[in-house]
Amino acid sequence: MTIDFEFLGDTLSKLLAAVPTTLGLFFASLLAGGLLSLVVVAMRVSRHWLPNRFARGYILVFRGSPLMIQMFLVYYGLGQFQAIRDSFAWPILRAPYACAIVSLALCTAGYTAEIIRGGLQSVPHGQIEAALACGMSRWTVLRRIIAPITLRHALPAYSTEAVLLIKSTALASLVTVWEVTGVAQQIIQRTYRTMEVFICAALIYLVLNFIVVRALGMLEKKLSPHLRDRNGAAPKKAARQVANEATVPDAHQIDS
Amino acid sequence: MQTSAAIALSATNIHKSFGDAHVLKGISLEAHQGDVISILGASGSGKSTFLRCINLLETPDEGEVRLAGETIEMKRARDGRLHPGNRKQVDRIRSQLGMVFQSFNLWSHMTVLQNVTEGPLRVQKRARAECIEEAEQLLTKVGLYDKRDAYPAHLSGGQQQRVAIARALAMHPKVMLFDEPTSALDPELVGEVLRVMRALAEEGRTMLVVTHEMGFARHVSNRVMFLHQGQVDAEGTPEDLFNGRCSERFQQFVSSHHSRAAN
């Protein structure tokens, strides 16, 4: 098999033209799913049984069933109900692009809620107590202490979720959204050249994911200077040494 | 001497249970302005729980806490237990009670300086420049001015605890609560924290100190309270208690501490 550069170039340019659609799906569902996940996680950590059970059920359903089936149910299934066709949501649910975003967002919200919950649980209780003890209101504690620490702990797992979400946008081709994978399949149906086309498509996803991972990695690094060693030296030992020098001679009198 | 000063803090008949365990069985305490009260007791005697009941980190089942004449409002729920009646009041009272924890509990995502300015900025809503200036003075006082941009993870335990003390002082507390401030520290780091606490005592600050440091209780505090199984077993001046005019149990407690210190 010889390499047909002209065909590769032509394929790549066609696929690149579909990248905005893929990115649109990604960012819209990331944003909507992120906001929805905050609602779900708030219900999930609620002490009241009703929101708690509801959130558990939500997470079970959307993590536990295939995204493809969820997408088919939203796109083909909801339109079967007259009530939905009459409702305000129909202009949205009629469009394949919007259906894809809705189902991607619903699904990622389930996963993200669990990631955030893990981050919440990692907040040391003592730091919350210290905030309460200095008189912060519960809202201030959430905003100034719990949320920043949760964000820092959740970010590594969240970057995995973002990568999975980019790859999940490929499923939108099944509900006739012409994003990168959909366009790739169109080209294959015309040319029967599976290898070149899918490799080009895979490369595009690889580059997108590389950018996403790097961007979130930089954010993580920027937010966590306290987890990095200063000046690359082992910080604990250095600190200990300084402490010893600073120890005061009359300390033993108190301690006697 | 003590009676002439105004009452800064009083806790009356504090009861607390965790499940079946009756941890506090009616403890009362009155701290006058400038008092330094050491609260001693074996582990499980309820001394930390008592301290935490004062700023409502634990809600007492019974009893009353007053700070500078203001009673913390409590409501009785249907199950008979008390609950804070007014959350805003609780937040305000807490902001006037500086608390220092055994495990420091500095906010890990903030620098030393941010840890000290956070309360004044967010709770007292004071001007930023003023907060920073005062925080730097406090850090100088505890000997950590040069660490103001470091993160807690980069400090030794003793340094972290001194930052925690500066953080509490930044709120201009009426009373300072210390919950075993040196118990989590390596022995060689205990001195630096005790020295700061001694300096605070000499300034005339009102302090309640739950501690195992017999030296501090004896030489720095002006009153000692000894708890045993959730009750006050002995109370008085350190001279009285440490010179044997007290319960046998306290003498046993002290001698066990001395033999441990000698090892």
Side-chain angles (χ1 to χ4, degrees):
Chain A
M1 188 175 120
T2 55
I3 300 171
D4 181 349
F5 283 104
E6 201 187 328
F7 176 69
L8 278 181
D10 185 47
T11 304
L12 204 56
S13 69
K14 276 184 188 147
L15 292 181
L16 283 175
V19 165
T21 311
T22 292
L23 285 179
L25 287 171
F26 170 68
F27 282 114
S29 54
L30 191 76
L31 184 71
L35 293 176
L36 184 57
S37 75
L38 294 178
V39 177
V40 175
V41 81
M43 292 165 84
R44 177 64 181 78
V45 299
S46 163
R47 256 171 253 156
H48 194 280
W49 68 272
L50 186 67
N52 187 296
R53 292 281 169 81
F54 179 84
R56 281 170 191 266
Y58 180 93
I59 291 165
L60 179 72
V61 168
F62 284 96
R63 284 203 310 178
S65 63
L67 173 57
M68 195 171 82
I69 294 179
Q70 293 168 22
M71 210 177 271
F72 282 161
L73 284 173
V74 170
Y75 183 57
Y76 297 112
L78 291 181
Q80 293 180 351
F81 297 96
Q82 185 64 44
I84 285 174
R85 286 205 300 274
D86 292 340
S87 79
F88 70 95
W90 184 237
I92 297 169
L93 293 174
R94 199 172 47 186
Y97 191 73
C99 279
I101 290 172
V102 166
S103 43
L104 285 168
L106 287 171
C107 182
T108 192
Y111 284 92
T112 308
E114 282 297 272
I115 291 170
I116 295 175
R117 191 169 71 89
L120 279 176
Q121 284 175 337
S122 73
V123 180
H125 192 62
Q127 294 188 26
I128 298 172
E129 280 195 340
L132 291 172
C134 82
M136 284 191 205
S137 67
R138 292 207 264 186
W139 170 245
T140 309
V141 177
L142 181 67
R143 200 167 53 86
R144 297 291 306 169
I145 311 296
I146 297 176
I149 297 176
T150 301
L151 176 68
R152 284 160 175 80
H153 281 279
L155 218 45
Y158 187 63
S159 88
T160 303
E161 176 54 24
V163 165
L164 288 173
L165 186 60
I166 285 202
K167 295 193 289 182
S168 300
T169 58
L171 287 174
S173 62
L174 296 172
V175 292
T176 70
V177 175
W178 300 118
E179 42 65 71
V180 173
T181 306
V183 172
Q185 277 175 327
Q186 275 184 328
I187 299 172
I188 290 164
Q189 277 160 14
R190 282 200 308 269
T191 62
Y192 295 101
R193 294 167 82 162
T194 311
M195 197 69 174
E196 292 104 314
V197 178
F198 272 151
I199 285 180
C200 280
L203 272 177
I204 288 175
Y205 284 106
L206 209 58
V207 170
L208 291 182
N209 277 329
F210 179 76
I211 295 168
V212 166
V213 167
R214 284 305 294 264
L216 286 172
M218 274 157 65
L219 180 63
E220 194 184 320
K221 207 172 161 188
K222 187 172 175 308
L223 287 177
S224 307
H226 58 294
L227 301 179
R228 268 181 285 149
D229 292 356
R230 302 183 86 199
N231 313 321
K236 262 209 155 161
K237 259 190 183 162
R240 177 65 55 84
Q241 222 164 19
V242 173
N244 281 345
E245 285 160 15
T247 308
V248 256
D250 70 344
H252 293 285
Q253 292 172 5
I254 303 171
D255 202 19
S256 63
Chain B
M1 175 189 106
Q2 307 168 10
T3 43
S4 61
I7 293 173
L9 176 97
S10 73
T12 315
N13 193 30
I14 302 289
H15 282 263
K16 178 72 186 173
S17 299
F18 294 106
D20 292 337
H22 202 171
V23 181
L24 300 179
K25 301 166 186 162
I27 295 186
S28 299
L29 172 144
E30 229 170 52
H32 295 81
Q33 230 132 49
D35 270 354
V36 177
I37 304 178
S38 289
I39 303 171
L40 306 177
S43 68
S45 60
K47 55 195 189 307
S48 279
T49 307
F50 175 61
L51 202 70
R52 291 164 58 82
C53 280
I54 290 175
N55 67 356
L56 266 73
L57 284 181
E58 305 288 353
T59 314
D61 300 335
E62 285 292 332
E64 188 187 82
V65 178
R66 288 167 74 89
L67 179 69
E70 183 181 358
T71 306
I72 302 183
E73 294 166 37
M74 301 296 272
K75 268 195 314 226
R76 199 170 294 280
R78 259 169 292 172
D79 59 2
R81 296 199 165 215
L82 290 179
H83 290 278
N86 178 348
R87 202 158 278 287
K88 283 234 167 74
Q89 189 209 23
V90 171
D91 290 342
R92 185 162 47 77
I93 299 254
R94 278 174 174 165
S95 75
Q96 298 165 5
L97 289 165
M99 179 115 178
V100 176
F101 297 86
Q102 179 176 358
S103 48
F104 330 131
N105 296 346
L106 294 180
W107 299 306
S108 55
H109 59 296
M110 295 182 188
T111 64
V112 164
L113 187 69
Q114 287 168 336
N115 264 280
V116 180
T117 56
E118 185 68 9
L121 277 175
R122 307 288 162 187
V123 179
Q124 297 174 332
K125 320 252 190 240
R126 284 153 57 192
R128 179 172 291 271
E130 177 199 327
C131 293
I132 291 175
E133 194 190 323
E134 197 193 335
E136 289 182 339
Q137 283 169 7
L138 287 168
L139 287 173
T140 307
K141 184 172 173 175
V142 299
L144 288 169
Y145 178 78
D146 57 328
K147 293 281 179 193
R148 65 192 183 282
D149 294 322
Y151 285 88
H154 299 143
L155 301 181
S156 72
Q159 291 172 325
Q160 289 189 51
Q161 195 60 298
R162 285 187 280 152
V163 175
I165 292 172
R167 173 174 72 176
L169 289 172
M171 299 292 289
H172 301 192
K174 290 184 173 141
V175 177
M176 293 277 282
L177 309 174
F178 291 84
D179 187 7
E180 303 201 32
T182 58
S183 297
L185 296 176
D186 291 345
E188 78 264 27
L189 302 180
V190 169
E192 59 186 271
V193 172
L194 288 181
R195 188 183 67 105
V196 170
M197 290 170 60
R198 171 174 231 169
L200 296 181
E202 283 164 359
E203 280 175 16
R205 286 186 183 274
T206 316
M207 297 160 63
L208 301 189
V209 187
V210 169
T211 186
H212 290 287
E213 294 296 330
M214 291 301 144
F216 184 90
R218 190 163 187 169
H219 300 296
V220 182
S221 55
N222 66 338
R223 265 170 68 204
V224 174
M225 187 162 105
F226 175 63
L227 300 189
H228 179 74
Q229 292 182 350
Q231 282 172 317
V232 180
D233 192 74
E235 195 179 358
T237 64
E239 293 79 31
D240 285 349
L241 263 68
F242 284 95
N243 294 334
R245 284 191 290 275
C246 65
S247 72
E248 204 168 300
R249 207 177 270 124
F250 181 70
Q251 285 177 0
Q252 274 174 11
F253 175 77
V254 172
S255 66
S256 75
H257 265 265
H258 274 291
S259 61
R260 209 178 60 185
N263 282 335

